[in-house]
Amino acid sequence: MKSLLFTCMLVPWLAAASARKSDQDSQLIVGSLPGRELNGYFSDPLNSRRARRAVSLADEPDDSPVSEGGDASDLPTCLLCVCLTGSVYCEEVSPDMTSVPTLPKETAYLYARFNKIKKISTKDFAGILTLKRIDLTGNLISEIEDGAFSKLALLESLSLAENRLVKLPMLPAKLTSFNANNNFLKTRGVKANAFKKLTKLTHLYLADNQLEAVPQIPDSVQILHLQNNNITEVNVDTFCRSNDTYLRPSLNEVRLDGNPVVLSKNPDSFTCMKVLPSGRYR
């Protein structure tokens, strides 16, 4: 009798236990059994969370701020600047960029405008022979070492506008456009033959300086800006020559406005030109 009673009590308990186990098995998720491997996945929840966290941290960008007072030279160029194929854009860089950054070897175009670069040295562009354009507008450049640009055989466009230059460096022979507007250039800081050998130069901008005379201008120049200087005189040899047959058909824009010179005092000074300069005539 007792055996029968025990059996009757045991059967429901075993059925309930079996149901609970079945229910637990039906809720199993891959990786949910601690300390075991299920279907090829590690199942320890703690290890799984650690692994997922490690992956997510590795994928997240490092947004930690650069400490104040740092210098851009301490960081990789393409972290500070936008580097595209052959082009580097470093404009208004923070932290302050006080020198030319190290450039990728294939750089052809450099735009490093509106920074705090103070000096250009010969090593800044050494070995970057692919450069075609350099724009350093709006920096604090007051010194350029001799030869800093002269070995850049492919350089066609150079802008040093809005800096603090008092003299010009030697320029590469293939230059087609040169901009030195808004500096502190005087005639003694511009060598007499500074542009003479630039036979491909078409655009020359020297406005808003302190030049006392017009420098020698190559025949290839088409656009010449000399406004807002201290030029006091032009003569027959400034743009033309004593030879009556000499012509300047390419020179189609000359700006001399904002200078003390009275252009009408020497009317023969422009006979070789197809347009008269803008400026003061009385």
PDB file of all heavy atoms in Angstrom, residues 9 29 50 71 124 133 154 223 244 251 280:
ATOM      1  N   MET A   9       2.702   9.430  -5.829  1.00  0.00           N
ATOM      2  CA  MET A   9       3.244  10.774  -5.553  1.00  0.00           C
ATOM      3  C   MET A   9       4.440  11.092  -6.439  1.00  0.00           C
ATOM      4  O   MET A   9       4.677  12.239  -6.803  1.00  0.00           O
ATOM      5  CB  MET A   9       3.660  10.857  -4.079  1.00  0.00           C
ATOM      6  CG  MET A   9       2.488  10.759  -3.096  1.00  0.00           C
ATOM      7  SD  MET A   9       3.035  10.727  -1.409  1.00  0.00           S
ATOM      8  CE  MET A   9       3.788  12.331  -1.282  1.00  0.00           C
ATOM      9  N   ILE A  29      19.468  29.911 -25.704  1.00  0.00           N
ATOM     10  CA  ILE A  29      19.976  30.737 -26.802  1.00  0.00           C
ATOM     11  C   ILE A  29      21.437  30.386 -26.992  1.00  0.00           C
ATOM     12  O   ILE A  29      22.156  30.159 -26.025  1.00  0.00           O
ATOM     13  CB  ILE A  29      19.833  32.233 -26.471  1.00  0.00           C
ATOM     14  CG1 ILE A  29      18.355  32.568 -26.247  1.00  0.00           C
ATOM     15  CG2 ILE A  29      20.392  33.110 -27.549  1.00  0.00           C
ATOM     16  CD1 ILE A  29      18.134  33.985 -25.749  1.00  0.00           C
ATOM     17  N   ARG A  50      32.518  40.777 -22.727  1.00  0.00           N
ATOM     18  CA  ARG A  50      33.850  41.369 -22.845  1.00  0.00           C
ATOM     19  C   ARG A  50      34.308  41.419 -24.293  1.00  0.00           C
ATOM     20  O   ARG A  50      34.886  42.402 -24.755  1.00  0.00           O
ATOM     21  CB  ARG A  50      34.847  40.565 -22.017  1.00  0.00           C
ATOM     22  CG  ARG A  50      34.697  40.806 -20.512  1.00  0.00           C
ATOM     23  CD  ARG A  50      35.622  39.885 -19.743  1.00  0.00           C
ATOM     24  NE  ARG A  50      35.536  40.124 -18.313  1.00  0.00           N
ATOM     25  CZ  ARG A  50      36.113  39.347 -17.390  1.00  0.00           C
ATOM     26  NH1 ARG A  50      36.787  38.258 -17.790  1.00  0.00           N
ATOM     27  NH2 ARG A  50      35.997  39.637 -16.106  1.00  0.00           N
ATOM     28  N   ASP A  71      51.098  71.520 -30.364  1.00  0.00           N
ATOM     29  CA  ASP A  71      51.460  72.014 -31.674  1.00  0.00           C
ATOM     30  C   ASP A  71      51.073  70.987 -32.712  1.00  0.00           C
ATOM     31  O   ASP A  71      51.174  69.782 -32.470  1.00  0.00           O
ATOM     32  CB  ASP A  71      52.974  72.295 -31.746  1.00  0.00           C
ATOM     33  CG  ASP A  71      53.338  73.019 -33.024  1.00  0.00           C
ATOM     34  OD1 ASP A  71      53.527  72.331 -34.043  1.00  0.00           O
ATOM     35  OD2 ASP A  71      53.420  74.253 -33.002  1.00  0.00           O
ATOM     36  N   ASP A 124      61.398  71.763 -46.077  1.00  0.00           N
ATOM     37  CA  ASP A 124      59.943  71.616 -46.057  1.00  0.00           C
ATOM     38  C   ASP A 124      59.410  70.915 -47.302  1.00  0.00           C
ATOM     39  O   ASP A 124      58.442  70.163 -47.228  1.00  0.00           O
ATOM     40  CB  ASP A 124      59.280  72.991 -45.925  1.00  0.00           C
ATOM     41  CG  ASP A 124      59.422  73.563 -44.525  1.00  0.00           C
ATOM     42  OD1 ASP A 124      59.593  72.776 -43.580  1.00  0.00           O
ATOM     43  OD2 ASP A 124      59.378  74.795 -44.376  1.00  0.00           O
ATOM     44  N   ARG A 133      51.131  73.031 -57.186  1.00  0.00           N
ATOM     45  CA  ARG A 133      50.519  74.237 -56.614  1.00  0.00           C
ATOM     46  C   ARG A 133      50.749  74.260 -55.110  1.00  0.00           C
ATOM     47  O   ARG A 133      50.542  73.257 -54.423  1.00  0.00           O
ATOM     48  CB  ARG A 133      49.027  74.294 -56.905  1.00  0.00           C
ATOM     49  CG  ARG A 133      48.307  75.481 -56.240  1.00  0.00           C
ATOM     50  CD  ARG A 133      46.842  75.520 -56.619  1.00  0.00           C
ATOM     51  NE  ARG A 133      46.678  75.815 -58.039  1.00  0.00           N
ATOM     52  CZ  ARG A 133      45.493  75.825 -58.668  1.00  0.00           C
ATOM     53  NH1 ARG A 133      44.392  75.542 -57.988  1.00  0.00           N
ATOM     54  NH2 ARG A 133      45.423  76.099 -59.947  1.00  0.00           N
ATOM     55  N   LEU A 154      58.158  71.249 -61.236  1.00  0.00           N
ATOM     56  CA  LEU A 154      56.798  71.166 -61.775  1.00  0.00           C
ATOM     57  C   LEU A 154      55.872  72.249 -61.205  1.00  0.00           C
ATOM     58  O   LEU A 154      54.715  72.340 -61.621  1.00  0.00           O
ATOM     59  CB  LEU A 154      56.195  69.791 -61.486  1.00  0.00           C
ATOM     60  CG  LEU A 154      56.921  68.584 -62.095  1.00  0.00           C
ATOM     61  CD1 LEU A 154      56.208  67.290 -61.721  1.00  0.00           C
ATOM     62  CD2 LEU A 154      57.031  68.718 -63.605  1.00  0.00           C
ATOM     63  N   ILE A 223      48.364  89.391 -66.781  1.00  0.00           N
ATOM     64  CA  ILE A 223      47.692  90.129 -65.708  1.00  0.00           C
ATOM     65  C   ILE A 223      48.751  90.596 -64.716  1.00  0.00           C
ATOM     66  O   ILE A 223      49.513  89.790 -64.185  1.00  0.00           O
ATOM     67  CB  ILE A 223      46.656  89.253 -64.972  1.00  0.00           C
ATOM     68  CG1 ILE A 223      45.694  88.607 -65.966  1.00  0.00           C
ATOM     69  CG2 ILE A 223      45.917  90.070 -63.913  1.00  0.00           C
ATOM     70  CD1 ILE A 223      44.811  89.580 -66.689  1.00  0.00           C
ATOM     71  N   ASP A 244      60.874 101.254 -81.205  1.00  0.00           N
ATOM     72  CA  ASP A 244      59.479 101.507 -81.563  1.00  0.00           C
ATOM     73  C   ASP A 244      58.736 100.243 -82.012  1.00  0.00           C
ATOM     74  O   ASP A 244      57.509 100.219 -82.020  1.00  0.00           O
ATOM     75  CB  ASP A 244      59.408 102.559 -82.690  1.00  0.00           C
ATOM     76  CG  ASP A 244      59.847 103.934 -82.197  1.00  0.00           C
ATOM     77  OD1 ASP A 244      59.798 104.147 -80.974  1.00  0.00           O
ATOM     78  OD2 ASP A 244      60.254 104.766 -83.022  1.00  0.00           O
ATOM     79  N   LEU A 251      49.994  91.498 -72.602  1.00  0.00           N
ATOM     80  CA  LEU A 251      49.678  92.251 -71.393  1.00  0.00           C
ATOM     81  C   LEU A 251      48.347  92.970 -71.565  1.00  0.00           C
ATOM     82  O   LEU A 251      48.249  93.995 -72.233  1.00  0.00           O
ATOM     83  CB  LEU A 251      50.798  93.257 -71.105  1.00  0.00           C
ATOM     84  CG  LEU A 251      50.773  93.950 -69.743  1.00  0.00           C
ATOM     85  CD1 LEU A 251      50.799  92.943 -68.607  1.00  0.00           C
ATOM     86  CD2 LEU A 251      51.948  94.922 -69.620  1.00  0.00           C
ATOM     87  N   ARG A 280      46.286 106.787 -61.672  1.00  0.00           N
ATOM     88  CA  ARG A 280      46.129 108.239 -61.598  1.00  0.00           C
ATOM     89  C   ARG A 280      46.710 108.892 -62.855  1.00  0.00           C
ATOM     90  O   ARG A 280      47.883 108.716 -63.176  1.00  0.00           O
ATOM     91  CB  ARG A 280      46.853 108.756 -60.349  1.00  0.00           C
ATOM     92  CG  ARG A 280      46.723 110.235 -60.104  1.00  0.00           C
ATOM     93  CD  ARG A 280      47.532 110.623 -58.866  1.00  0.00           C
ATOM     94  NE  ARG A 280      47.571 112.069 -58.676  1.00  0.00           N
ATOM     95  CZ  ARG A 280      48.384 112.663 -57.856  1.00  0.00           C
ATOM     96  NH1 ARG A 280      49.275 111.958 -57.147  1.00  0.00           N
ATOM     97  NH2 ARG A 280      48.360 113.974 -57.727  1.00  0.00           N
TER      98      ARG A 280
END
